[in-house]
Amino acid sequence: MSAVYKKELKTYFTGMTGPVFICFILLMTGIFTVVYNLQGLYPNFEVTVNQVVFVYLLAIPVLTMRSIAEEKHSRTDQLLYSLPMSVTSIVIAKYLAMVTVLAIPVCVMAFYPLLLATFGTVHLASAYGMLLAFFLLGASLIAIGMFISSLTESQVIAAVVSLAVTLLVYFMSGLSNMISTDASVSLIGFLAIACVIGLIVNAMIRNTVLALSVTGVLALATVGVYLVDSTLFAGAIPDILSAISLFDRLTTFQNGMFDLTAIIFYLSVCGLFVYLTVQSMEKKRWN
Amino acid sequence: MIEVKNLVKRYGDNTAVRGVSFTVEKGRIYGFLGPNGAGKSTTMNIITGCLAATEGEVTVGGYDIYEDPVEAKACIGYLPEQPPLYMDMTPYEYLEFVGRAKGLRGDKLYKAVEAAVTKTGLTAYADRLIKNLSKGYKQRVGIAQAIIGDPEVIILDEPTVGLDPRQIIEIRELIRELGQDHTVILSSHILPEISAVCDYVIIIAKGRIVASDTLENLTRLYEGKNYVDLIARGDEDKIRRIIESIPGADSVELDAGEIGRVHARIAMQKEVDIREDLFFRFADAKVPILSMEFEEVTLEKVFLELTGDHFEPTVSEPEPTEEDVRMTAEEIFAAQAVQNVQKPTDEPAGEPEPAPAPEKAEKPAKPAKNGDDDDYKPLFGGN
């Protein structure tokens, strides 16, 4: 595992990806710190961090696009499969290498509150809480980006899809406000989700009968619940969307609260997508 | 060392490997021979854990490749068809990574990298980026990667593809050297390549093993026979008697051709040459020989026949069991002989009649020899 980790880390720094990623995040944070904290004399570093979070939209896809797609493209995945290591440890090593690259700018950012503290009173606890959440949000997005990279052989496709997904996640709470809170809208939404689940099942196990029955059962259950108590469905879809919105969670930290559920939520997203990446890599052997 | 049982691999509707079984013993060089698309690479990928089989099992050094993949893979060094190289690394960095991934550390790692670099003759190139190396040297880096850390089994998938003749010879030398203290499996679609280095040959075609034996056995069984194709004018029975009286003539097939002509295909031992005998005995019996041709059976021809479209291995018909699939060269040869013998029975049973019916005149005695026949016509036309 350490071999892959070292190799990955080395690749990020022999190429341009690592330095560009780090510089981009630090440059943006620097600009915002100067504008908000130094010129605006605003003592809350957590607000600055919450403003800087958009850098992930560009930086994360660039970092994650090559992680697995490139291995597939250059057929070096065959080497990884034939080495005496489990696929899980390979994926985790790759993931940790990317998280390490992310940790570098975050560590540099950790000095900013201390720097600001020399000029006045800074809420260090809330600043560092925010920074931790910022780091975990990045780690979650890296996990998602790595999973997308494992689905394709092309770095470009991986980058574009990652960008699209990150954008969608970024605007998710905004989108959820646009959706009507009417119960019937939620019903249609849930039925659509049932169909999508059916399609995924069909693609994964190539069993049309099973996929259709899964969709049927889900649709019937949804309609049944709707008929019994339609008030449950009022605003359900917007609620769910904002509940799974990754970026929204930072607002609590910005308000000076340490939200443990958010931390656990981020860690779960990391775990889920690392697991999915392992499955996607394993699936390639079973195709 | 490696045991492969009833391996089956399906890609959707396409079956790449159908029931392959074989055993690999320690300290020998195995050759995996077959035309392109025969299932060689698929089988190798399954043995090394790069691909999962649809059915069947593989054990390497006693470890199942699915149950204990890490232990099993630790015994293997694998060079896939396309060397899996990181182009932005130097061979040193690359080999260090592979060595580390194989669990080597510190001094041991350094020594293993040095040994692999020296063995593959990469010393002068070990500090350049892999992407700047020529194809031959990239291939060497791939081989170095497979042999680093002295794995018990080294599996090389077409290791000499794209190399120049000198490099091919060097790589063969290297493989022979490796074969002294490792088990080596290499695949190729070129027979001379296999016969140059391997002790044991597994011939695979259309996802099945069609022959599996030591090179000596294959050579003895297949190359052991030479053939004489002979056309004579005379009575079929008489000709048969003459031929059968000659020591060294193993078997004979007779085929009555145009009026009075008989085509005979005589199999004989490799050590003896019965052509002179044939000539004198036919002369004594006053049976004129119209043409006589000597045909040598090479392993190449056997390979082409075994892997060709028309050859359907007899193992295929029932659901192949282990014994069936592990057909030895001897059995296959016997199966072929049966096919050959059965051929004449397709024709009408009234064979013994020396004077063939007129419609038979159109049927060439033996397609390849037709031209010769026509040449002889004017000579004997007056008779």
Side-chain angles (χ1 to χ4, degrees):
Chain A
M1 191 163 138
S2 70
V4 179
Y5 174 75
K6 273 188 187 163
K7 183 221 100 192
E8 284 292 309
L9 214 52
K10 214 172 176 179
T11 337
Y12 282 116
F13 289 103
T14 48
M16 292 292 287
T17 321
V20 167
F21 176 83
I22 293 167
C23 289
F24 180 61
I25 292 185
L26 287 180
L27 179 72
M28 287 301 154
T29 324
I31 292 172
F32 275 77
T33 313
V34 168
V35 172
Y36 276 86
N37 303 114
L38 298 183
Q39 291 181 350
L41 299 175
Y42 202 65
N44 295 49
F45 185 64
E46 54 271 24
V47 177
T48 317
V49 172
N50 202 17
Q51 294 300 316
V52 172
V53 89
F54 77 91
V55 296
Y56 280 159
L57 292 181
L58 281 173
I60 297 287
V62 170
L63 184 69
T64 58
M65 63 180 188
R66 58 163 294 285
S67 61
I68 291 170
E70 178 58 21
E71 300 268 2
K72 282 185 173 180
H73 181 71
S74 61
R75 307 258 167 230
T76 42
D77 56 339
Q78 287 211 315
L79 172 69
L80 297 180
Y81 285 130
S82 71
L83 287 174
M85 289 182 290
S86 68
V87 175
T88 315
S89 64
I90 293 169
V91 171
I92 290 177
K94 279 178 165 290
Y95 178 65
L96 288 182
M98 284 188 280
V99 171
T100 309
V101 176
L102 172 68
I104 294 168
V106 172
C107 284
V108 174
M109 282 160 74
F111 287 104
Y112 294 4
L114 294 177
L115 204 70
L116 296 175
T118 57
F119 303 111
T121 320
V122 176
H123 301 288
L124 285 179
S126 57
Y128 284 115
M130 181 67 188
L131 211 54
L132 176 68
F134 176 77
F135 174 67
L136 288 178
L137 169 66
S140 314
L141 293 173
I142 287 175
I144 296 174
M146 179 171 74
F147 172 63
I148 291 166
S149 174
S150 79
L151 297 176
T152 169
E153 266 186 32
S154 152
Q155 289 193 43
V156 178
I157 292 176
V160 170
V161 175
S162 299
L163 178 65
V165 170
T166 329
L167 266 177
L168 192 73
V169 174
Y170 186 68
F171 289 117
M172 197 177 268
S173 54
L175 287 173
S176 70
N177 289 337
M178 287 159 61
I179 297 171
S180 158
T181 52
D182 198 52
S184 57
V185 173
S186 294
L187 176 69
I188 295 166
F190 282 124
L191 290 179
I193 290 171
C195 292
V196 170
I197 290 174
L199 284 175
I200 293 172
V201 168
N202 192 31
M204 276 169 66
I205 57 175
R206 296 195 185 99
N207 187 338
T208 320
V209 181
L210 189 69
L212 278 177
S213 43
V214 166
T215 314
V217 168
L218 284 175
L220 279 177
T222 316
V223 174
V225 173
Y226 180 74
L227 290 177
V228 172
D229 186 4
S230 65
T231 52
L232 277 177
F233 278 51
I237 291 271
D239 285 352
I240 290 173
L241 284 183
S242 50
I244 60 169
S245 166
L246 287 164
F247 287 87
D248 262 15
R249 303 261 171 177
L250 288 184
T251 327
T252 349
F253 288 92
Q254 189 193 322
N255 295 338
M257 280 179 277
F258 190 84
D259 184 3
L260 203 59
T261 53
I263 302 288
I264 290 169
F265 176 65
Y266 285 141
L267 290 176
S268 317
V269 172
C270 298
L272 174 70
F273 281 95
V274 168
Y275 171 77
L276 287 177
T277 311
V278 173
Q279 293 310 307
S280 146
M281 293 272 284
E282 288 279 8
K283 187 182 171 283
K284 212 210 152 207
R285 294 168 61 209
W286 288 95
N287 62 350
Chain B
M1 204 53 232
I2 296 182
E3 237 187 295
V4 176
K5 275 188 206 153
N6 263 321
L7 219 55
V8 176
K9 177 70 188 174
R10 285 192 206 96
Y11 295 104
D13 296 333
N14 178 20
T15 310
V17 177
R18 346 174 162 227
V20 163
S21 305
F22 59 91
T23 315
V24 169
E25 283 157 31
K26 218 171 180 156
R28 290 171 102 175
I29 305 181
Y30 284 77
F32 233 59
L33 187 60
N36 292 324
K40 301 186 297 284
S41 295
T42 309
T43 312
M44 288 186 149
N45 275 337
I46 293 172
I47 297 173
T48 52
C50 294
L51 208 61
T54 316
E55 281 168 38
E57 61 179 88
V58 177
T59 52
V60 181
Y63 298 105
D64 192 297
I65 196 82
Y66 309 116
E67 309 291 328
D68 313 293
V70 175
E71 288 85 352
K73 285 174 190 171
C75 311
I76 299 179
Y78 179 40
L79 169 70
E81 209 169 352
Q82 195 181 337
L85 306 173
Y86 294 105
M87 296 298 169
D88 290 332
M89 288 182 171
T90 67
Y92 261 132
E93 288 171 335
Y94 176 69
L95 293 174
E96 198 192 314
F97 158 63
V98 177
R100 206 183 284 276
K102 287 184 176 177
L104 301 171
R105 293 286 182 277
D107 213 27
K108 250 186 181 170
L109 173 65
Y110 175 73
K111 276 187 187 143
V113 171
E114 273 303 322
V117 165
T118 321
K119 257 188 188 169
T120 47
L122 277 168
T123 322
Y125 300 88
D127 283 323
R128 300 187 189 182
L129 286 184
I130 292 178
K131 65 179 162 198
N132 296 334
L133 295 179
S134 71
K135 185 162 168 45
Y137 278 98
K138 280 181 188 157
Q139 192 77 25
R140 284 170 193 239
V141 179
I143 295 175
Q145 164 271 121
I147 65 176
I148 195 168
D150 270 326
E152 289 172 71
V153 188
I154 296 168
I155 300 181
L156 309 169
D157 197 352
E158 310 209 349
T160 57
V161 158
L163 301 187
D164 66 42
R166 178 190 291 272
Q167 288 171 328
I168 290 179
I169 292 169
E170 283 174 10
I171 296 288
R172 278 184 194 166
E173 287 293 322
L174 176 64
I175 293 169
R176 241 178 251 134
E177 202 181 296
L178 289 171
Q180 286 163 7
D181 40 1
H182 300 85
T183 308
V184 182
I185 305 178
L186 80 148
S187 81
S188 177
H189 56 269
I190 309 156
L191 179 74
E193 167 114 18
I194 297 281
S195 53
V197 288
C198 298
D199 313 318
Y200 198 95
V201 184
I202 296 168
I203 300 180
I204 186 166
K206 294 196 211 86
R208 288 200 186 91
I209 291 180
V210 290
S212 148
D213 212 329
T214 59
L215 196 61
E216 296 91 73
N217 276 354
L218 279 180
T219 317
R220 187 160 49 75
L221 278 159
Y222 290 119
E223 289 194 332
K225 303 246 185 236
N226 288 331
Y227 289 90
V228 173
D229 270 317
L230 177 141
I231 296 170
R233 195 188 297 278
D235 181 63
E236 206 177 318
D237 284 335
K238 196 174 176 186
I239 289 171
R240 184 186 293 276
R241 273 199 302 281
I242 298 170
I243 293 170
E244 278 170 355
S245 70
I246 295 170
D250 268 8
S251 62
V252 59
E253 287 168 45
L254 290 177
D255 192 7
E258 282 175 63
I259 312 161
R261 284 185 193 180
V262 176
H263 170 246
R265 187 172 165 80
I266 308 156
M268 61 183 192
Q269 305 290 341
K270 188 164 189 125
E271 303 80 47
V272 292
D273 188 350
I274 60 166
R275 281 178 293 178
E276 283 175 36
D277 249 359
L278 276 173
F279 173 80
F280 288 121
R281 294 206 189 198
F282 271 74
D284 288 346
K286 296 248 181 296
V287 178
I289 295 175
L290 305 184
S291 83
M292 183 154 72
E293 200 164 314
F294 181 70
E295 187 189 318
E296 200 174 8
V297 176
T298 60
L299 211 49
E300 189 80 52
K301 278 186 187 161
V302 175
F303 168 60
L304 286 176
E305 185 154 338
L306 284 175
T307 56
D309 280 333
H310 57 279
F311 181 76
E312 263 301 312
T314 40
V315 284
S316 62
E317 294 324 319
E319 197 53 47
T321 65
E322 199 182 333
E323 279 130 312
D324 277 339
V325 178
R326 254 197 232 149
M327 201 153 96
T328 61
E330 246 160 301
E331 286 171 284
I332 288 176
F333 190 71
Q336 270 184 299
V338 169
Q339 281 184 343
N340 287 343
V341 169
Q342 277 169 347
K343 235 178 262 166
T345 54
D346 296 341
E347 285 162 31
E351 277 277 309
E353 277 298 312
E359 74 260 18
K360 270 206 168 180
E362 283 173 33
K363 195 174 161 59
K366 169 88 184 177
K369 302 294 163 321
N370 240 8
D372 298 0
D373 261 61
D374 292 341
D375 289 346
Y376 279 108
K377 238 172 207 164
L379 272 176
F380 292 91
N383 295 346

